[in-house]
């Protein structure tokens, strides 16, 4: 990933923005654009299915518990803000960097 994801430390945890493409052929983190992670999920954007798929993808790829993550903003749009609790900004940055080096 050439660009870098903008991580923001808040009182509740660390947040970052993503851009989601639902109905993809496979679930994956595809890169960074405009300081946002680009994410594809196979689920449709109906009744929160894509949102649940996003949380599941980050849980699997970053080795975090689903209960640590929430969609803090943008639940009904393609641009979302993910909030991760119980992790430092440095640790999350390291996990994202490790993930990008695997892809």
């Amino acid at each position: 990933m050439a660009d870098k994801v903008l991580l923001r430390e808040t009182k509740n945890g660390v947040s970052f923005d993503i851009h989601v493409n639902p109905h993809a052929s496979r679930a994956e983190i595809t890169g960074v654009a405009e300081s946002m992670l680009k994410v594809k999920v196979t689920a449709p954007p109906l009744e929160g299915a894509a949102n649940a798929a996003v949380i599941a993808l980050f849980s699997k790829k970053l080795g975090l518990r689903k209960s640590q993550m929430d969609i803090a903003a943008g639940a009904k749009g393609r641009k979302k803000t993910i909030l991760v609790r119980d992790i430092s900004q440095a640790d999350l940055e390291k996990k994202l960097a490790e993930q990008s080096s695997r892809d």
Side-chain angles (χ1 to χ4, degrees):
M1 290 187 219
D3 259 345
K4 194 170 179 185
V5 178
L6 176 63
L7 299 176
R8 297 175 301 279
E9 194 129 17
T10 69
K11 64 180 180 176
N12 298 323
V14 180
S15 67
F16 59 95
D17 294 331
I18 65 171
H19 184 273
V20 180
N21 284 326
H23 280 297
S25 58
R26 64 184 188 163
E28 61 185 336
I29 300 170
T30 59
V32 179
E34 299 174 18
S35 300
M36 290 189 293
L37 273 177
K38 294 170 49 180
V39 179
K40 292 182 178 180
V41 293
T42 58
L46 299 172
E47 299 173 3
N51 292 341
V54 165
I55 296 296
L57 177 66
F58 280 116
S59 175
K60 179 181 174 187
K61 295 288 189 179
L62 302 179
L64 300 169
R65 297 182 319 275
K66 291 179 189 177
S67 61
Q68 277 182 273
M69 295 175 280
D70 280 319
I71 295 181
K76 294 195 182 278
R78 288 182 182 236
K79 182 182 176 215
K80 302 177 186 303
T81 300
I82 305 293
L83 176 68
V84 184
R85 291 180 296 283
D86 304 324
I87 192 168
S88 71
Q89 184 171 339
D91 287 345
L92 184 56
E93 200 168 301
K94 182 179 173 189
K95 285 182 178 290
L96 288 169
E98 287 170 359
Q99 176 58 39
S100 67
S101 68
R102 284 187 218 143
D103 294 341

